Amino acid sequence: LVFINIANVFVANGFGEALVKKTDSDETDFSTIFYCSFIFSWVLYFILFLSAEPIAKFYGQEMLTPLLRVLALKIPISSVSTIQHAYVSKHMIFKKFFFSTLGGTIISGIVGIVMAFTGCGPWALVGQYLTNTIIDTLVLFVTVPWRPKWIFNISSAKSLISYGWKLTISSLINEVYGEMRSLIIGKVYSSADLAFYNRGNQFPSLIITNIDTAIGKVVFPAMTKVASKEERLKQISRRAMKTTSYVIFPMMVGLMFIGESLIDVLLGEKWLVCVPFLQCGCLYYMCQPIQTTNWQIIKAVGRSDLCLK
């Protein structure tokens, strides 16, 4: 997952946001970025395919080779859904996200559980992740009116990429920084230690992903529409920061206090080792709403260079 998440940055971040940021983006822009993203995603897939065996040898886990090669198919699939997501954000039809996310989550959850109970081992996780991405993409394909056309414009690609590449590199730095911990823990310690760390981080991360990230996706296109009106931009920023903080702060504090009981009930006594990681994660994610809102402001006014710096 570490390697998939890092590779996914190149197709899931930056270029879709460039389409949202551009006020007059049209069919030519969307189709051009779609082909750029799709072709590049297959290049990334083949790099991961060839890297799978050396990665497996480095960690002394032979089974990682086929697991990584199959799971990496998520990258080209995500390149399609990224443009769909940009279209939904651009036109602020967020109800489409609800149906794609709900369908993907329920169906992939069932697939993962069935595969786990039938003895598929880690392949159950691969099945769950891939099913979620595929369902999300298919539902958006049916519900969103946009389809790629046989159009490609070099000047359009240059214009959008000049804004998007800085956001892509920014996201890459963040992703590598975050995933580096898992890489080091998995190598220096044990897979069990890594499991405790990831599980502890999962609960506060789940709250942030579903609340703060969701609000950020709505706020960004709203900010781009008023990017030239400084006072209006400040009003939206304050409202977004207040709303997310008002929800996130109490939830994180509450999770810190009930963490031990929650883990015991949901996962069992053997997972209590992950409680300190959960509590540290709560403190860390508590500050996330402030960062998220500021990030959207900088992107909305077109200063992707500041994001990179």
Side-chain angles (χ1 to χ4, degrees), residues 196 259-265 268-276:
F196 288 130
E260 187 171 342
S261 301
L262 183 71
I263 296 297
D264 191 25
V265 171
E269 188 178 349
K270 63 183 179 182
W271 282 95
L272 289 176
V273 181
C274 75
V275 172

Side-chain angles (χ1 to χ4, degrees), residues 143-172:
T143 59
V144 174
W146 178 80
R147 299 288 184 276
K149 296 183 177 178
W150 294 106
I151 308 171
F152 189 88
N153 187 289
I154 293 292
S155 60
S156 173
K158 287 180 178 177
S159 171
L160 291 164
I161 289 172
S162 67
Y163 172 86
W165 77 265
K166 302 179 190 78
L167 292 179
T168 301
I169 299 300
S170 303
S171 299
L172 179 64

Side-chain angles (χ1 to χ4, degrees), residues 27 87-88 93 96 140-148:
E27 286 290 344
Y87 185 92
V88 169
I93 45 177
K96 310 292 185 186
L140 287 175
F141 185 81
V142 172
T143 59
V144 174
W146 178 80
R147 299 288 184 276

Side-chain angles (χ1 to χ4, degrees), residues 14 39 52 60 63 103 114 150 155 165 195-196 203 211 218 248 292 309:
I39 293 168
M63 69 185 305
V114 170
W150 294 106
S155 60
W165 77 265
F196 288 130
F203 289 94
I211 299 175
V218 176
I248 296 293
T292 301
K309 290 172 185 175

